């Protein structure tokens, strides 16, 4: 990042210097060119005003030289003055013997002067190093006074300035590199400090205060950092809980099997040990199945099969499947509902209902009741599971949806719970963009409402 900033600033500086220099040269040259044009024009008009050429022409002296009394004062190192007769013959030139000059009748400035009263043109030398600016004016006697001046072309000016530009660019590059280093450190310092203090809100805010634009970025990074830490901790806890949940039934199965293998069990106890192995194997299978379900739900990219179905029919079928199990535990399971059509994943909704009802039956008392209903409330489908069982303490209501969280671990294991049922329910509700409402009171029961 530092190198990129340095290179970028240097390129910008070089571009700025070069373009500025070119722009200045072009603007300055245009001003200079206008000044030269104006100078030759004014000079020609002043020569006309002197009346020298009128007096010289009236003498009919065609062999005029710079030594003649009329033109002694017309020597000028910068200006070339040419006097041209009506037919294009050069009568006088302050730089060359006029008799040696060719006829000027084809010169554009002479032609324009004869037609319009004045004319001007620019001619560039073959080497493109010099421009000659011409201005011609027709005087009263019909002859033409032409004044010309040489000046460097813009290309030659630019080429001549290249060494200076190169020195300036080199100086700018050195200065930019120094400034870039300083600016880069100033820009990067708050970000580096923020990275070092993601867990300390005050330090991050103090450092980013220099650049207010970084505060939203800092807050976003901090939020994501906290989520990552929370996710890591959650996974660590989940791994630890999984290991514990799997280890307990496996240890029991291994222990019972070892006793049987070593013939340390009386014949009348073998059935009991077999039941214990079977129960722990069932528990192990339940935990594994729930872990697989959660893993599948955690993968958001998995495509879910949503279709419009009647919640009343799905929930009713689930309750019918669980009535027998509930009666075995002497729990009265009842259901009532109305038709509510919603777009849902049928398999996930079945799993949700089975988990809720099984939990309500599992954590109920003998002779208890579980009531399941489906209703339409303001266009929302509501699945409600209400029991009069052992209830949940108020301080545990928010945590019961965490993985492997149990209000009473010993009683939960005795009742066969894996601690993952409500976590699965929460995931399914989130997939359907729904919400969960829960009310509970110790020894009076729990009501869970799923709004879809």
């Amino acid at each position: 990042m530092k190198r990129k900033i340095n290179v970028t600033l240097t390129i910008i500086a070089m571009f700025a210097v070069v373009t500025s220099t070119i722009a200045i040269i072009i603007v300055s040259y245009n001003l200079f060119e206008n000044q030269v044009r104006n100078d030759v024009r004014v000079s020609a008009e002043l020569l006309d005003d002197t009346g020298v050429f009128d007096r010289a022409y009236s003498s009919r002296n065609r062999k005029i030289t710079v030594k003649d009394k009329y033109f002694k004062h017309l020597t000028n190192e910068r200006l070339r003055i040419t006097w041209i007769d009506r037919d294009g013959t050069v009568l006088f030139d302050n730089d060359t013997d006029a008799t040696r000059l060719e006829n000027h009748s084809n010169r554009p400035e002479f032609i324009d002067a004869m037609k319009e009263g004045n004319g001007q043109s620019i001619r560039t030398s073959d080497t493109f190093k010099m421009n000659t600016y011409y201005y011609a004016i027709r005087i009263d006697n019909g002859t033409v006074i032409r004044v010309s001046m040489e000046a460097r072309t813009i290309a030659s000016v630019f080429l001549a300035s290249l060494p200076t530009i190169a020195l300036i660019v080199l100086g700018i590059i050195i200065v930019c590199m120094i400034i870039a280093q300083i600016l880069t450190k100033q820009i990067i310092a708050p970000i580096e400090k923020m990275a070092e203090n993601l867990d300390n809100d005050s330090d991050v805010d103090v450092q980013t205060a220099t650049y207010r634009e970084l505060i939203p970025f800092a807050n976003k990074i901090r939020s994501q950092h906290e989520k990552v830490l929370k996710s890591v901790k959650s996974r660590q806890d989940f791994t630890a809980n999984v290991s514990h949940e799997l280890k307990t039934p496996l240890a029991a199965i291994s222990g019972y099997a070892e006793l049987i293998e070593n013939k340390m069990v009386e014949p009348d106890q073998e059935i009991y040990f077999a039941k214990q192995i079977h129960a722990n194997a069932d528990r192990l299978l339940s935990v594994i199945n729930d872990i697989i379900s959660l893993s599948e739900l955690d993968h958001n990219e998995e495509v879910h099969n949503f279709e419009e179905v009647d919640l009343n029919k799905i929930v009713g079928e689930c309750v019918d499947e669980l009535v027998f199990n509930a009666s075995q535990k002497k729990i009265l399971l009842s259901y009532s509902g109305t038709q509510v059509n919603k777009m849902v994943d049928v398999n996930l909704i079945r799993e949700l209902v089975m988990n809720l009802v099984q939990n309500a039956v599992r954590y109920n008392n003998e002779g208890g009741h579980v009531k399941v209903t489906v209703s339409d409330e303001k266009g929302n489908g509501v699945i409600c599971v209400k029991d009069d069982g052992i209830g949940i303490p108020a301080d545990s209501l928010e945590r019961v949806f965490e993985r492997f969280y149990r209000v009473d671990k010993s009683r939960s294991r005795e009742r066969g719970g894996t601690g993952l049922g409500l976590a699965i329910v929460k995931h399914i509700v989130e997939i359907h963009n729904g919400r969960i409402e829960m009310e509970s009171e110790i020894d009076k029961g729990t009501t869970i409402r799923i709004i879809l």
Side-chain angles (χ1 to χ4, degrees), residues 242-254 276-292 404 416-418 420:
V242 168
S243 300
H244 179 71
E245 293 294 332
L246 296 180
K247 183 179 179 181
T248 302
L250 281 173
I253 292 172
S254 177
Q276 291 300 316
I277 291 174
H278 185 250
N280 280 282
D282 285 344
R283 172 171 172 70
L284 187 61
L285 185 60
S286 297
V287 172
I288 292 172
N289 287 335
D290 284 348
I291 290 172
I292 292 172
F404 293 113
T418 63
L420 294 174

Side-chain angles (χ1 to χ4, degrees), residues 82-85 88-93 98-99 101-104:
T82 306
W83 183 25
I84 309 170
D85 205 350
T89 303
V90 178
L91 301 175
F92 168 77
D93 190 289
T99 58
L101 297 176
E102 62 183 11
N103 190 284
H104 281 27

Side-chain angles (χ1 to χ4, degrees), residues 275-333:
K275 287 182 178 180
Q276 291 300 316
I277 291 174
H278 185 250
N280 280 282
D282 285 344
R283 172 171 172 70
L284 187 61
L285 185 60
S286 297
V287 172
I288 292 172
N289 287 335
D290 284 348
I291 290 172
I292 292 172
S293 295
L294 271 177
S295 178
E296 291 174 349
L297 293 172
D298 277 339
H299 288 79
N300 294 326
E301 67 273 10
E302 184 175 339
V303 178
H304 298 288
N305 183 26
F306 282 84
E307 55 183 309
E308 186 172 345
V309 295
D310 182 7
L311 292 179
N312 177 48
K313 181 180 178 181
I314 297 172
V315 177
E317 291 174 353
C318 292
V319 172
D320 287 342
E321 292 178 18
L322 296 172
V323 167
F324 178 76
N325 289 336
S327 64
Q328 291 292 99
K329 296 182 179 181
K330 299 183 179 179
I331 305 295
L332 179 60
L333 175 60

